Amino acid sequence: MMEKQIKPKVLVVEDEESISMLLKFNLQSNGFDVVVAHDGVQALKEIEQKTFSCILLDLMIPKIDGVDVCKKTREMKIFTPILMLTAMAEEENKIFGLEIGADDYLTKPFSPKEVIARVKALIRRVDYLTGDQAVEDKKDEKLSVGHITIYPARYEVYVMDQLVDFTPKEFELLLYLVRNKGYVRSRDQLLSSVWDYEFSGDTRIVDVHISRVRDKIEKDSKNPKYIRTIRGLGYKFEEITE
């Protein structure tokens, strides 16, 4: 008898009934188990009580808004990938949402096909980082540059011998840059390699995540030594000793 495959569980946080039902239908049609929350209080309760593979989070929801839900989720050290759903007029909140721990965003109106593609990409990258084969492949690996030490199989980053928390996307971005140290990587290359985009995306996602990683690894994030911006090209991780 074949073992029943466990479906990835996705939390949809959306107060507009028509949108939440559309998302639920399309996610279920693509093999996901879906839980829907219509406000921030309900969302946080679900996040605390259940384990999700991905969270779709609308910013403008009742009781507790999406930005605070994202912030509280990361404060609880829950690093489930978060895909924010935003309206065109919410530019400031959109960037702030990325700054406090969201992994990606989509602007309304969006196509269900693109939502599914983004969700699959976010889950696929986490599975790649934490899967049994990946752990086996990296079990003895240790990467050290300056005051930074990374243990890929343990999903740990030490900065000046202190363990620092990273979201999956921050961790993967740092790991990718360190493994490609000395080489310039464009924003589009980073979107493709770290976010697994098979289509063009908003490169501000990269810039915000770079800023977040710098805040965690640099002694002075305003004058970074490790992750340099190469004007007109992208970013380069420098091989330095301290």
Side-chain angles (χ1 to χ4, degrees):
M1 184 175 180
M2 292 184 65
E3 185 177 343
K4 186 177 180 180
Q5 188 173 6
I6 299 175
K7 295 181 179 181
K9 190 184 296 290
V10 175
L11 176 63
V12 173
V13 188
E14 171 61 66
D15 63 318
E16 291 187 42
E17 188 73 22
S18 60
I19 297 178
S20 65
M21 292 304 294
L22 177 66
L23 290 170
K24 182 177 181 179
F25 172 79
N26 281 276
L27 286 163
Q28 288 179 332
S29 297
N30 281 270
F32 295 98
D33 185 9
V34 182
V35 175
V36 177
H38 296 290
D39 61 62
V41 172
Q42 184 185 1
L44 287 171
K45 184 177 179 180
E46 296 286 356
I47 291 166
E48 287 181 278
Q49 294 180 349
K50 299 172 184 174
T51 300
F52 294 97
S53 298
C54 188
I55 299 169
L56 274 65
L57 178 61
D58 184 43
L59 285 184
M60 302 301 290
I61 50 176
K63 298 183 180 180
I64 301 177
D65 67 27
V67 168
D68 282 338
V69 169
C70 181
K71 185 176 181 180
K72 291 177 185 295
T73 298
R74 296 315 189 211
E75 287 173 351
M76 291 189 287
K77 298 189 183 299
I78 296 172
F79 298 116
T80 303
I82 295 176
L83 173 60
M84 292 189 308
L85 308 176
T86 74
M88 290 292 290
E90 296 163 8
E91 186 71 19
E92 184 176 341
N93 281 341
K94 179 168 56 180
I95 299 302
F96 183 61
L98 289 172
E99 289 173 346
I100 61 173
D103 298 280
D104 198 356
Y105 67 79
L106 274 175
T107 302
K108 298 177 181 178
F110 45 73
S111 72
K113 182 178 179 181
E114 187 170 15
V115 173
I116 298 301
R118 297 285 184 98
V119 169
K120 286 182 176 179
L122 287 170
I123 294 175
R124 185 163 55 242
R125 300 309 296 183
V126 172
D127 287 346
Y128 170 76
L129 285 175
T130 60
D132 291 342
Q133 186 58 51
V135 170
E136 182 66 24
D137 291 345
K138 300 178 295 190
K139 64 181 180 180
D140 297 323
E141 190 177 9
K142 171 185 173 181
L143 302 172
S144 295
V145 183
H147 62 237
I148 303 164
T149 303
I150 306 172
Y151 296 93
R154 285 153 47 181
Y155 190 67
E156 291 178 348
V157 179
Y158 288 82
V159 180
M160 291 184 285
D161 297 322
Q162 296 294 314
L163 181 63
V164 178
D165 288 327
F166 280 72
T167 68
K169 200 54 62 182
E170 291 167 354
F171 181 86
E172 191 177 1
L173 177 60
L174 175 62
L175 188 60
Y176 179 82
L177 288 170
V178 169
R179 283 180 169 158
N180 291 273
K181 61 182 179 291
Y183 294 95
V184 178
R185 290 293 178 258
S186 70
R187 291 168 174 83
D188 286 336
Q189 284 177 312
L190 291 170
L191 280 175
S192 175
S193 298
V194 178
W195 276 262
D196 204 9
Y197 278 10
E198 297 176 358
F199 40 83
S200 61
D202 190 337
T203 57
R204 286 173 298 179
I205 295 171
V206 173
D207 296 335
V208 173
H209 278 75
I210 289 287
S211 177
R212 279 168 34 192
V213 172
R214 279 173 171 163
D215 286 341
K216 294 181 178 183
I217 68 170
E218 301 278 2
K219 290 181 178 178
D220 179 3
S221 61
K222 301 300 181 186
N223 296 286
K225 293 184 178 180
Y226 288 101
I227 304 177
R228 286 185 54 209
T229 301
I230 308 301
R231 191 176 299 276
L233 295 175
Y235 296 101
K236 180 170 72 168
F237 197 96
E238 296 284 9
E239 173 73 87
I240 65 172
T241 58
E242 296 189 11

